Amino acid sequence: MRREGAEVRATATGPGPQRTAGPDAGTAPVDGWAEYLAAARQLDAVRRSAATAAGEQARSAEAAREELTVVRAGLATQQERLRERGVPAISLVPSPPELTEAARSMAGGPAAVLAALRTARGRAEAADAALAARRGLRPTSWPARARNLLVYGPLALLAPLIQIIVYATTGSGPASVMALVGGLPMPAAAFAVGWVCVGRVFRAAPDDQVDRTVRFGVLVCLVPAVLVTTGLLLALLAG
């Protein structure tokens, strides 16, 4: 009986070797999941970098458009001023080498274009400052009264100076009296000549009018004549 029971168990179990689970059977799915997570993180990093770069390029392009508008307006104003000063139009157009250099400097995308435009704007502002400094030395840029005084002043002093010279040379004689009488209408003549000269010397743009400062010119021409005439009259009466 025991022998038969042993044979039955041997038959049920089978003569072959028994399989056992290997030590790496459970780690394969874990390694695959880790690789998937790493690839997903890398892909997300690439996506974020691309989105950041695209956003920076969009902002640079928008800033470049705004900068271009400002630079164009400034250059248009400068060209107009230079043409008024007699600069030939061909001198205000960039040459082919300059265009090539500008195109090379802007080949790096919107950021490079923005940097080039900012450089051009800085140069344009420096040129404006240089023009303003030179223009400040020109009488045409002075206030109207100070500018017109350069014309009214010498004309207003001419007749009184002649009267003083005649009196100093001849004393209280007929020549001084004639110079005194002849100098009475000279303020009006000085103002008329000054009014014409101001319009010719300080010419304005075609659509503008020259400010001749009429009241100021009359005052400038009248005061020296009144003072000198009064002094000479008193000197003649005393003599």
Side-chain angles (χ1 to χ4, degrees), residues 21-119:
D24 297 334
T27 59
V30 176
D31 292 342
W33 179 251
E35 292 177 358
Y36 172 77
L37 290 179
R41 286 194 296 269
Q42 186 177 5
L43 181 61
D44 185 66
V46 172
R47 181 186 63 81
R48 290 175 181 271
S49 299
T52 302
E56 291 179 353
Q57 286 187 354
R59 289 190 293 270
S60 298
E62 182 64 24
R65 282 192 289 268
E66 295 177 357
E67 195 74 21
L68 180 60
T69 302
V70 175
V71 171
R72 279 179 174 175
L75 290 179
T77 303
Q78 281 188 356
Q79 288 180 353
E80 183 178 357
R81 292 176 180 174
L82 292 174
R83 288 195 188 100
E84 291 177 354
R85 295 192 175 192
V87 178
I90 192 173
S91 300
L92 303 176
V93 179
S95 62
E98 292 174 341
L99 291 175
T100 303
E101 182 64 24
R104 185 183 298 110
S105 65
M106 294 186 295
V113 174
L114 179 60
L117 288 173
R118 287 177 176 173
T119 302

Side-chain angles (χ1 to χ4, degrees), residues 166-216:
V166 171
Y167 178 79
T169 304
T170 62
S172 57
S176 298
V177 175
M178 292 179 61
L180 181 62
V181 175
L184 293 178
M186 292 306 296
F191 172 76
V193 175
W195 190 88
V196 174
C197 291
V198 167
R200 291 180 177 270
V201 174
F202 307 117
R203 293 183 179 179
D207 298 335
D208 298 334
Q209 292 183 353
V210 179
D211 185 5
R212 290 182 168 87
T213 58
V214 175
R215 295 181 180 179
F216 178 75

